[in-house]
Amino acid sequence: KRDSVRYYLGKAREVNDARYMNYHDYLEGEVSIKDMQAWLYYYDKDYKRAEKEELEVLAIIDSLQSVRGNNVLTERGEAYSFLAMLYEDNGQYSKAIEYIEKRAENDRERFSAEKNRAIREIEAKYEVEKKEERILVLRRRNIYLAVVLCAFVVAVLMGAGVLLYRKRLREQ
């Protein structure tokens, strides 16, 4: 099973190294590749290399933070969970607790960001609906004004027609 994961990990590395994409997409690919490599090391009980890979994942995530914003919070949380598990398995409980606390803080930040995004989306929908309602009101008003204007024009033309007809009758 691990051999097939290694095989596909190698294929992922080949695709990611092709660099036909922009640099930040390349880095996002590296996050996934290094994270999977860390899991392989973990399953092989090569904890030092697993730790090294996952710390590199965190460094890449930190470099992507300024470009991708809150989109990397999920990956950071998963990296924190991995490191907490790794340190717990190695009896390094203080480090495990440190990463559990980091994970909790990351989750608070992630859920706060998601909540704020949802609120912005709701506010945007409200503004769109409000503007659409205003447009509908203005259209109705414009139709009403057009009907009144047409009626006024017809009345003026009829009045002018009546006046012309009266004038012609007087002349005859």
Side-chain angles (χ1 to χ4, degrees):
K1 183 176 178 179
R2 291 184 196 152
D3 288 338
S4 64
V5 172
R6 283 186 181 90
Y7 173 77
Y8 287 111
L9 194 56
K11 290 291 184 188
R13 172 125 353 257
E14 287 174 20
V15 169
N16 206 42
D17 285 343
R19 297 217 181 182
Y20 60 87
M21 59 193 98
N22 72 41
Y23 183 67
H24 296 106
D25 291 339
Y26 165 79
L27 287 178
E28 285 184 12
E30 282 297 300
V31 167
S32 298
I33 291 168
K34 287 186 170 294
D35 183 58
M36 182 54 66
Q37 185 64 59
W39 277 101
L40 283 175
Y41 288 145
Y42 175 79
Y43 292 136
D44 289 340
K45 299 193 182 322
D46 188 350
Y47 298 126
K48 285 291 179 193
R49 288 172 74 184
E51 176 187 26
K52 179 184 176 289
E53 287 291 325
E54 203 64 31
L55 290 174
E56 287 177 14
V57 166
L58 280 175
I60 294 171
I61 289 171
D62 289 342
S63 73
L64 287 171
Q65 178 75 39
S66 63
V67 178
R68 299 291 195 234
N70 291 330
N71 294 338
V72 296
L73 290 175
T74 302
E75 288 84 1
R76 179 178 284 126
E78 290 172 3
Y80 288 156
S81 292
F82 178 87
L83 287 168
M85 177 188 67
L86 179 76
Y87 291 133
E88 183 179 353
D89 287 354
N90 285 309
Q92 298 175 341
Y93 299 112
S94 62
K95 278 189 169 184
I97 289 171
E98 175 187 340
Y99 279 98
I100 289 170
E101 290 171 352
K102 285 182 178 186
R103 170 67 192 245
E105 179 59 34
N106 186 73
D107 287 349
R108 279 191 289 279
E109 186 179 341
R110 185 176 116 221
F111 293 130
S112 175
E114 288 175 2
K115 180 182 77 172
N116 290 336
R117 188 184 83 250
I119 288 171
R120 283 192 304 275
E121 286 176 6
I122 290 169
E123 288 172 345
K125 285 179 184 177
Y126 170 76
E127 289 298 321
V128 167
E129 287 180 18
K130 188 170 134 182
K131 287 181 182 185
E132 286 175 350
E133 182 64 29
R134 180 72 178 142
I135 289 169
L136 186 61
V137 167
L138 290 173
R139 282 186 181 155
R140 287 180 186 152
R141 184 174 162 206
N142 286 344
I143 290 171
Y144 173 76
L145 289 174
V147 168
V148 168
L149 181 62
C150 287
F152 179 74
V153 168
V154 168
V156 167
L157 290 174
M158 287 179 68
V162 168
L163 287 176
L164 288 174
Y165 182 71
R166 278 186 159 180
K167 184 177 177 184
R168 187 176 268 176
L169 281 177
R170 278 190 210 152
E171 289 176 359
Q172 290 179 352

